[in-house]
Amino acid sequence: MTYSVEWIDDHIRLLDQRLLPKQERYLDLFSSDEVAAAIRDMTVRGAPAIGVAAAYAVVLAARSAPHADVREAVGNAITSLSQTRPTAVNLFAALQRMQRVLSSCPSEDLIKSLTVEAVRIHEEEIASSERISELGASLIPGGATVLTHCNAGMIATAAHGTALGAIVEAHRQGKIERAIATETRPLLQGARLTVWELVREGVATTLITDSMVGHFMRTDRIDCVMVGADRIAANGDVANKIGTYSIAVLAKAHRIPFYVAAPSSTIDLSLRNGDTIEIEQRDVSEITTIAGTEVADAGATVWNPAFDVTPHQLVTAIVTEHGILMTPLRRGLRMLAGQTGGRRK
Ligand code: MRU
């Protein structure tokens, strides 16, 4: 298993996901500011992995502050980490938990209590992704061709993966004939990361461009789509990597089940629907350059939203660590919140 986020004694070790698949390089980070920069520039990415990294970053802030200033340093770190990436709610869920420790714990116990909470967040994500992989695999029929988008694998979750974890688990059960990975423009998480993970796991993998999905749904056999999520609203609307919505529309048109696999830390019951999910707008250079080379005339306006929202009507089921939620998703999500004390306003 490759861990994208690890806590080692007094610092965080991150797998530099920007360099994959060419280089497997790890960075040792000792300050909260370094981790915030790593989240922003996508050294670490994927909703659950971002949450885990942010929690450890808060611990780093506490450890490096002079004793008298520790509370202020932790508060500042939480504020600055919350401004790194807006869409994945796991980041805010993790920071909220760290904030609760800050508010309730005496200064002399703060570092220890923050460390315990960060490790707990990490362990919960590991356990969730393992369970999601098992449950997700149960939805995949024997001899299946499964399409996935972006990367919801072990490096996105700090453990087993969610959507990709389900595909890998189904492969271990002998059920996968082929996994199809979309390249996932503009940063190529599919081509660079998902293909890397699937091939290492021995899954027969085919890479296609994002614009080929409709063609293959019409001309080939695709049994289901399995994707991750960055935020799920109370009605089941799902924010995920840009392009997910188009795939869901195509899946509906071709009567292909569209599954979303995500831990409960991705569910945001404070939002009635997906319309108010903040969509991260990233630098236009991600679109206008390929491998450092300018490919577009500078005269055009460029739009680069990193995520889109798939309306709940297009989602066949949501797989969480607590079970598989079928439609109506709103009822299932509300019941799940009752069990887990899920995030609400
Ligand atoms: O911009 P990214 O690479 O962080 O976006 C990641 C995704 O959209 C993933 O599908 C999502 O975070 C789920 S990861 C288990």
Side-chain angles (χ1 to χ4, degrees):
M1 170 113 34
T2 302
Y3 292 104
S4 58
V5 183
E6 268 184 285
W7 178 252
I8 300 176
D9 302 329
D10 58 353
H11 70 278
I12 303 180
R13 180 164 291 170
L14 293 181
L15 171 63
D16 190 341
Q17 298 194 38
R18 299 166 306 172
L19 304 179
L20 290 170
K22 281 193 177 158
Q23 264 187 65
E24 195 173 326
R25 197 173 77 189
Y26 293 83
L27 302 176
D28 291 312
L29 305 184
F30 291 82
S31 82
S32 157
D33 286 346
E34 286 177 305
V35 180
I39 294 173
R40 208 173 286 117
D41 70 17
M42 294 175 67
T43 298
V44 59
R45 49 143 300 280
I50 293 171
V52 172
Y56 286 134
V58 174
V59 178
L60 291 178
R63 292 177 67 97
S64 57
H67 184 68
D69 302 338
V70 67
R71 303 191 84 81
E72 194 187 340
V74 170
N76 290 342
I78 290 174
T79 305
S80 119
L81 286 157
S82 71
Q83 288 158 1
T84 50
R85 297 195 71 192
T87 305
V89 73
N90 311 59
L91 172 70
F92 304 96
L95 291 175
Q96 217 170 56
R97 286 175 62 168
M98 300 307 275
Q99 175 66 51
R100 251 179 252 137
V101 175
L102 173 65
S103 308
S104 63
C105 183
S107 295
E108 55 277 18
D109 295 337
L110 195 56
I111 293 177
K112 189 165 166 236
S113 302
L114 288 170
T115 310
V116 167
E117 186 67 355
V119 169
R120 193 176 293 144
I121 290 170
H122 194 175
E123 285 173 354
E124 284 173 16
E125 289 295 359
I126 292 172
S128 295
S129 64
E130 189 168 12
R131 183 73 186 129
I132 289 167
S133 300
E134 288 162 9
L135 289 170
S138 73
L139 292 169
I140 297 175
T145 296
V146 183
L147 183 138
T148 190
H149 185 57
C150 195
N151 172 269
M154 56 189 173
I155 57 175
T157 59
H160 303 266
T162 52
L164 211 54
I167 295 171
V168 169
E169 178 56 31
H171 163 71
R172 289 190 187 127
Q173 296 171 9
K175 296 201 290 183
I176 297 288
E177 189 173 308
R178 178 156 304 279
I180 297 181
T182 53
E183 65 172 354
T184 316
R185 281 280 292 152
L187 292 181
L188 306 180
Q189 288 93 331
R192 294 187 303 105
L193 309 175
T194 295
V195 167
W196 179 73
E197 286 196 42
L198 286 170
V199 169
R200 277 168 35 132
E201 294 293 334
V203 181
T205 304
T206 299
L207 172 66
I208 62 172
T209 68
D210 302 355
S211 52
M212 293 174 188
V213 172
H215 170 73
F216 284 111
M217 283 186 174
R218 200 171 76 81
T219 61
D220 226 299
R221 206 199 70 223
I222 293 178
D223 296 286
C224 64
V225 175
M226 185 75 73
V227 296
D230 287 82
R231 197 183 287 239
I232 300 174
N235 69 342
D237 291 353
V238 173
N240 191 46
K241 179 55 56 191
I242 189 77
T244 305
Y245 170 49
S246 314
I247 296 172
V249 172
L250 286 165
K252 185 78 162 185
H254 293 88
R255 296 193 173 82
I256 294 169
F258 182 89
Y259 299 125
V260 174
S264 52
S265 55
T266 304
I267 297 167
D268 185 356
L269 295 173
S270 73
L271 302 181
R272 279 161 53 101
N273 58 47
D275 295 349
T276 49
I277 294 176
E278 186 180 343
I279 301 294
E280 178 181 9
Q281 306 294 325
R282 291 191 61 87
D283 198 283
V284 299
S285 62
E286 292 178 356
I287 308 247
T288 57
T289 59
I290 293 181
T293 303
E294 291 282 346
V295 292
D297 189 290
T301 303
V302 182
W303 292 338
N304 187 17
F307 300 94
D308 58 27
V309 174
T310 298
H312 62 95
Q313 296 90 338
L314 301 178
V315 177
T316 311
I318 296 176
V319 184
T320 78
E321 72 274 26
H322 299 290
I324 299 172
L325 310 179
M326 308 297 284
T327 49
L329 294 170
R330 186 191 294 275
R331 201 175 57 196
L333 287 165
R334 198 172 297 146
M335 277 168 53
L336 191 144
Q339 287 165 24
T340 61
R343 183 184 149 93
R344 286 169 186 275
K345 252 190 194 132

